[in-house]
Amino acid sequence: INLNNSKHFLIDASVTNFNTNQWNSYPALNGFDGHVTFNENRGMAALETRDASTLWPNLFRSGIDIDKLTGTIAWGKTGQGWLIVGPALFGQHGDLKMLGRVKIVLDRQSKFGDFVDAGIEFAEGDLEGLRQYLNLNRISPKTADHINQIIQAGRLNSASLLLFGRVKQFPYI
């Protein structure tokens, strides 16, 4: 992505222990490290994060602890909206390892609206650590309680999660 053709501004920064507040539907970020470059039309962030967390009350009932998160996320304007792409993101929580990709189209003018296409591969982890990712605000508290009662202990060898659909229709069950 060539960001040097900006007419209004260009920000290029290395960040350590980057924190934000939760605002509207955007999550709070705590302790993120990496390099960001962006202007009014597009940007990218190369993440090299250890010991961070995020609080996303619109999606999860509690905060998500992140031991490690690496990869690149890019975003840019597309006609009426935005495209956000993270082709290869690696995360770790405890001994639970994750490799994922994400593509999000934010375009409320289109007939499809905001759209997500994401896939995560989980490997080599403690099942109890997986519970924090299943504690979704968009499912009923009764269902969340059942999930938390069912998953008590054990080891995960591998699992896949695919999210594909309109953001408004999440969760896709």
Side-chain angles (χ1 to χ4, degrees):
I1 297 176
N2 182 359
L3 297 172
N4 296 323
N5 295 330
S6 175
K7 295 180 182 176
H8 298 95
F9 71 89
L10 174 67
I11 295 178
D12 184 46
S14 291
V15 296
T16 303
N17 199 27
F18 180 75
N19 297 289
T20 67
N21 289 319
Q22 190 269 329
W23 178 70
N24 289 335
S25 62
Y26 300 102
L29 305 175
N30 298 299
F32 282 74
D33 303 330
H35 190 95
V36 294
T37 303
F38 64 95
N39 63 27
E40 67 275 7
N41 296 311
R42 62 182 112 348
M44 65 187 319
L47 302 171
E48 267 306 322
T49 296
R50 295 191 187 283
D51 300 321
S53 65
T54 182
L55 182 60
W56 204 338
N58 291 353
L59 188 56
F60 297 100
R61 283 179 169 57
S62 58
I64 301 289
D65 295 325
I66 302 165
D67 294 340
K68 183 176 182 181
L69 179 61
T70 60
T72 301
I73 299 172
W75 61 91
K77 283 187 178 178
T78 61
Q80 301 294 318
W82 290 85
L83 174 65
I84 304 166
V85 179
L89 301 169
F90 173 79
Q92 187 168 350
H93 171 74
D95 67 347
L96 180 65
K97 297 175 183 167
M98 297 155 275
L99 179 62
R101 59 159 184 82
V102 64
K103 178 179 177 182
I104 301 171
V105 177
L106 301 174
D107 187 353
R108 294 194 174 107
Q109 302 301 318
S110 81
K111 65 180 181 178
F112 298 109
D114 297 345
F115 200 86
V116 65
D117 176 5
I120 302 172
E121 298 289 327
F122 296 92
E124 304 173 20
D126 181 351
L127 280 176
E128 191 172 354
L130 182 62
R131 288 179 12 180
Q132 75 171 341
Y133 300 98
L134 300 175
N135 200 5
L136 300 171
N137 261 341
R138 301 253 178 129
I139 60 176
S140 74
K142 186 176 180 179
T143 301
D145 288 344
H146 286 310
I147 290 170
N148 286 326
Q149 289 174 14
I150 291 168
I151 300 175
Q152 292 299 309
R155 298 284 305 162
L156 175 72
N157 296 322
S158 67
S160 297
L161 172 66
L162 177 64
L163 299 175
F164 185 83
R166 294 179 183 174
V167 173
K168 281 187 177 180
Q169 296 173 331
F170 183 82
Y172 309 115
I173 52 175

